[in-house]
Amino acid sequence: EAGVAQSPRYKIIEKRQSVAFWCNPISGHATLYWYQQILGQGPKLLIQFQNNGVVDDSQLPKDRFSAERLKGVDSTLKIQPAKLEDSAVYLCASSKGSLDLYGYTFGSGTRLTVV
Amino acid sequence: AQSVAQPEDQVNVAEGNPLTVKCTYSVSGNPYLFWYVQYPNRGLQFLLKYITGDNLVKGSYGFEAEFNKSQTSFHLKKPSALVSDSALYFCAVRDGPTGGYNKLIFGAGTRLAVHP
């Protein structure tokens, strides 16, 4: 089966600019996650979707970050305006169902550098 | 809240020697534990998981992990390290109710360097 697709792979922007990332999960995976991985740290969950509904966005900085999952398939994550501390790898993951049974499948990530 | 800790930033081992990457956990209820590996410029790849059953869990690429309830640990092991095992390793714990919406909480990661 095809994996989780993310684009772009790399992005460099200036602070205060906006940026968007795209994720296409594995077909049939109802649950989609966006994680932020800052250099030297473990991934931190930003937002979790079940189909097209948000089930956890408690760690999403909502003043600048937004995410949507249209029709319960593709998802976009947006940052506006970006700050220097947003430099990180943004990982998308999807899950077929119960984590106990299936775990996550991760995409390769988008590396964002804010200058 | 559920959490995991990886006490070592980096582990160095010679090729052919056994390796151990440490992880301790703090959970309420039964722990559901995972190990993932990340190669440069790649996403995280699943290695193995402990849900219930045998304390020794076998996973991908010859890795195994030992669940120890009394020590609240879930250390990753391999009997004979390969240079190609060099990567970043993450321990993770499931957070959320059984049957409900769950997510993984990750540790900070341990860099494994296997020297020829």
Side-chain angles (χ1 to χ4, degrees):
Chain A
E1 63 181 2
V4 176
Q6 289 189 248
S7 67
R9 287 298 307 276
Y10 306 93
K11 191 74 177 179
I12 301 174
I13 63 171
E14 296 182 349
K15 59 184 179 183
R16 292 187 289 275
Q17 285 186 324
S18 63
V19 64
F21 313 126
W22 174 82
C23 173
N24 186 9
I26 292 174
S27 177
H29 281 200
T31 313
L32 185 147
Y33 309 80
W34 282 102
Y35 277 81
Q36 179 192 57
Q37 186 180 9
I38 293 173
L39 186 65
Q41 300 180 19
K44 183 186 81 172
L45 181 70
L46 291 176
I47 190 166
Q48 176 181 353
F49 292 93
Q50 182 72 18
N51 296 309
N52 60 351
V54 175
V55 298
D56 187 346
D57 63 357
S58 57
Q59 303 233 61
L60 187 73
K62 299 181 186 62
D63 58 333
R64 299 183 300 106
F65 285 65
S66 65
E68 60 183 6
R69 189 181 184 194
L70 300 175
K71 301 180 182 178
V73 182
D74 293 8
S75 177
T76 56
L77 176 69
K78 297 179 182 179
I79 307 174
Q80 182 179 8
K83 293 184 175 181
L84 295 177
E85 58 261 37
D86 298 332
S87 294
V89 176
Y90 291 85
L91 294 165
C92 179
S94 68
S95 180
K96 183 177 181 178
S98 166
L99 281 183
D100 304 349
L101 293 175
Y102 302 106
Y104 287 170
T105 301
F106 280 90
S108 296
T110 296
R111 182 177 298 277
L112 173 68
T113 303
V114 183
V115 298
Chain B
Q2 323 289 54
S3 66
V4 289
Q6 296 180 244
E8 302 158 316
D9 291 336
Q10 179 154 333
V11 170
N12 297 296
V13 64
E15 187 175 30
N17 283 359
L19 70 87
T20 298
V21 182
K22 296 180 180 178
C23 173
T24 59
Y25 64 87
S26 175
V27 303
S28 55
N30 294 322
Y32 294 75
L33 299 160
F34 300 75
W35 275 101
Y36 281 79
V37 60
Q38 186 176 35
Y39 297 100
N41 300 313
R42 302 280 295 277
L44 279 72
Q45 298 177 34
F46 171 78
L47 278 179
L48 51 80
K49 63 183 177 185
Y50 173 83
I51 305 299
T52 187
D54 290 340
N55 290 340
L56 187 63
V57 179
K58 295 191 182 297
S60 306
Y61 311 121
F63 283 93
E64 57 190 25
E66 186 173 10
F67 172 71
N68 188 316
K69 188 172 183 178
S70 63
Q71 297 186 5
T72 63
S73 66
F74 188 55
H75 299 333
L76 182 70
K77 300 182 179 183
K78 188 173 183 182
S80 178
L82 300 172
V83 172
S84 57
D85 293 329
S86 299
L88 195 53
Y89 290 81
F90 290 96
C91 181
V93 63
R94 189 199 78 176
D95 186 26
T98 299
Y101 297 125
N102 297 313
K103 57 182 179 284
L104 291 181
I105 307 297
F106 288 87
T110 298
R111 185 165 301 281
L112 173 66
V114 182
H115 305 285

